[in-house]
Amino acid sequence: MSPAAAGRPRDPAIDAAVLSATLAILRERGYSGFTLEAVAARAGTTRPTVRRRWPNRRSLVVDALASVLAVPPVPDTGCTRCDLARSVRLLAESLHHRLPAGVLAPLLADCAHDAALHRRLVESVVAPGRQAAEAAVRRAVDRGDLRPDTDPRMLVDLLASTVHQRALLGGGPQEPQSAGPLVDLVLRGAAVDYERLVRISETPPALRHLH
């Protein structure tokens, strides 16, 4: 690459086209059928152009997956039971409905020996949903719905386990209605007064502050 080319700013249109092509090919061919040559052809560019931006296919796939994930809002309805169920649904939406199917597990395996890339994958794809859920747990502890010694990370591990299992091992997306029973199972062990939380969840939102 010439000195002039080296100093040329990246064209955001090419970046967007490559990321879009990456997602399309992952959906069509899966991770095992994904190649930089196919991405370049789909994006209307060349393999060297792609390689100048992403040194290998793993880093490109990580950035492509991150590009379709938004940082989820922290659920805050005044109802701990509702907030945690919503957190589970947001995790499931991110991993099952926004990402191409069957990509996360082989990508994680492919990144296992690259600590920096593995960390980037976790931070950009998995961590945002978990952080929102942990914030909801901390809020529930602060308002006295959960025991003060509740570990937010551990509780989110329990809530997220079925979502992550389906994303990594298959078995189809998490059904929205399954989030409630999962949260109830966990809350029976973590809640100060589980029955009170059920009553609050069944109360119209405008009246919850009275509890």
Side-chain angles (χ1 to χ4, degrees):
M1 187 162 55
S2 69
R8 188 183 304 147
R10 281 172 58 156
D11 184 347
I14 293 177
D15 289 0
V18 170
L19 293 174
S20 177
T22 297
L23 292 166
I25 291 170
L26 287 171
R27 291 189 177 99
E28 294 170 6
R29 306 183 187 180
Y31 190 72
S32 62
F34 175 84
T35 65
L36 294 182
E37 289 82 2
V39 168
R42 179 70 64 91
T45 186
T46 65
R47 188 176 189 276
T49 298
V50 176
R51 287 293 299 270
R52 280 196 293 270
R53 289 161 165 77
W54 292 276
N56 53 60
R57 73 174 197 158
R58 294 169 297 155
S59 61
L60 171 55
V61 173
V62 169
D63 282 357
L65 297 186
S67 73
V68 295
L69 295 177
V71 177
V74 178
D76 185 13
T77 65
C79 166
T80 290
R81 191 168 172 243
C82 309
D83 288 349
L84 297 185
R86 176 62 177 157
S87 296
V88 173
R89 293 188 192 103
L90 287 171
L91 283 169
E93 179 186 347
S94 295
L95 297 185
H96 291 295
H97 300 292
R98 292 181 177 270
L99 301 187
V103 169
L104 189 56
L107 178 60
L108 276 168
D110 215 6
C111 294
H113 301 295
D114 185 333
L117 190 56
H118 182 271
R119 183 169 57 252
R120 198 169 103 212
L121 169 60
V122 171
E123 289 176 350
S124 60
V125 175
V126 179
R130 287 184 54 90
Q131 290 166 356
E134 289 175 18
V137 172
R138 286 192 292 271
R139 183 177 289 124
V141 172
D142 291 342
R143 64 177 168 238
D145 286 345
L146 301 182
R147 293 197 302 262
D149 61 348
T150 299
D151 183 331
R153 294 187 65 181
M154 185 178 297
L155 184 54
V156 171
D157 281 342
L158 294 172
L159 293 174
S161 60
T162 58
V163 178
H164 292 158
Q165 178 178 326
R166 284 178 170 85
L168 296 175
L169 302 180
Q174 181 106 6
E175 295 297 331
Q177 63 269 26
S178 68
L182 173 63
V183 167
D184 286 349
L185 180 65
V186 173
L187 285 180
R188 283 188 176 94
V192 173
D193 185 346
Y194 171 75
E195 297 303 328
R196 172 177 168 271
L197 300 188
V198 172
R199 291 195 300 272
I200 292 175
S201 73
E202 295 171 347
T203 301
L207 302 178
R208 285 175 184 164
H209 70 282
L210 299 178
H211 291 265

